[in-house]
Amino acid sequence: MTNLIISSNYENIALIEQFLKDSTSGLIVTASSGNEARRLISGDTKPELVIIDTPLSDEFGQDLAEITSVFSAGVILICRNDISENISHSLPENVVILARPFSREDFRNAVGSFPEISGIKPESADILTKIEEMRLINRAKCTLMEYLDFTEPQAHRYIEKQAMNNRRTRRETAEKILDTYKK
């Protein structure tokens, strides 16, 4: 298994490398720019997991995340929290956004989003269902922030309150929000 870390910051590469060694096994390859990563991917390197620490020296990294997700690689896009809110709805579903600053546990959870890559076997289907529900709720929050100019805490509270008032689950409420605003 090959893991590809793309970052223009060598300290971040070392930190991500250490976190990655704790979370999964396999060969770790690094690149310091989007162009270098593209050369590696088009060559012999076929990574199963790609970690992009944005911004890169020659691009932001969002386009690279979309391209690498096409190769059936799991992609973790690391960016600032305020940026993550703006781009999360425009990325493919196999791209996990990890907002900076993050902990070792946050990183492990992001890698765990790809059970076939991380070697983590979920104890039950409930774990995967909860992850999917969290993604759906986060997309609904981003939609509320985009269309109603809510902050993240306001969007979270709105979803919680609507679910409680309408006697629905948070998932059902999030689906209704997405149906309403994403037509």
Side-chain angles (χ1 to χ4, degrees):
M1 175 172 160
T2 302
N3 303 296
L4 176 59
I5 301 172
I6 309 160
S7 178
S8 298
N9 184 320
Y10 294 107
E11 292 173 358
N12 288 355
I13 287 176
L15 179 67
I16 294 167
E17 215 170 25
Q18 186 59 47
F19 283 3
L20 194 55
K21 286 177 183 174
D22 293 345
S23 301
T24 187
S25 61
L27 177 66
I28 298 175
V29 179
T30 63
S32 60
S33 68
N35 285 331
E36 184 181 352
R38 282 181 177 84
R39 280 192 303 274
L40 286 169
I41 291 169
S42 66
D44 292 338
T45 305
K46 299 296 180 221
E48 285 84 21
L49 179 62
V50 178
I51 302 164
I52 304 169
D53 180 33
T54 66
L56 302 173
S57 60
D58 56 350
E59 65 179 279
F60 178 72
Q62 182 178 353
D63 292 338
L64 187 59
E66 292 171 8
I67 291 168
T68 53
S69 70
V70 172
F71 296 116
S72 299
V75 180
I76 299 175
L77 186 71
I78 301 171
C79 58
R80 288 191 341 241
N81 193 30
D82 59 328
I83 294 172
S84 71
E85 296 168 358
N86 294 329
I87 65 171
S88 64
H89 62 278
S90 65
L91 292 171
E93 289 198 20
N94 64 332
V95 177
V96 173
I97 297 177
L98 186 58
R100 208 181 278 119
F102 59 89
S103 67
R104 186 179 300 267
E105 186 64 29
D106 294 334
F107 186 84
R108 189 176 297 122
N109 289 337
V111 172
S113 297
F114 310 106
E116 66 280 358
I117 293 169
S118 64
I120 298 171
K121 298 195 190 272
E123 293 178 5
S124 69
D126 291 342
I127 293 172
L128 294 176
T129 304
K130 287 184 189 283
I131 290 171
E132 180 57 36
E133 182 178 316
M134 288 171 36
R135 286 181 178 169
L136 183 72
I137 292 168
N138 284 335
R139 284 199 318 268
K141 284 183 198 177
C142 290
T143 300
L144 290 172
M145 292 186 303
E146 179 182 346
Y147 286 94
L148 301 179
D149 293 326
F150 282 7
T151 63
E152 196 275 337
Q154 289 172 326
H156 179 79
R157 176 150 169 71
Y158 179 83
I159 291 171
E160 294 281 330
K161 191 167 173 84
Q162 287 297 313
M164 186 175 58
N165 289 346
N166 296 321
R167 295 179 186 205
R168 292 186 176 156
T169 64
R170 293 182 317 149
R171 180 186 191 97
E172 293 169 336
T173 303
E175 288 170 345
K176 187 169 182 357
I177 289 168
L178 291 171
D179 288 343
T180 301
Y181 290 101
K182 293 293 184 177
K183 290 186 178 181

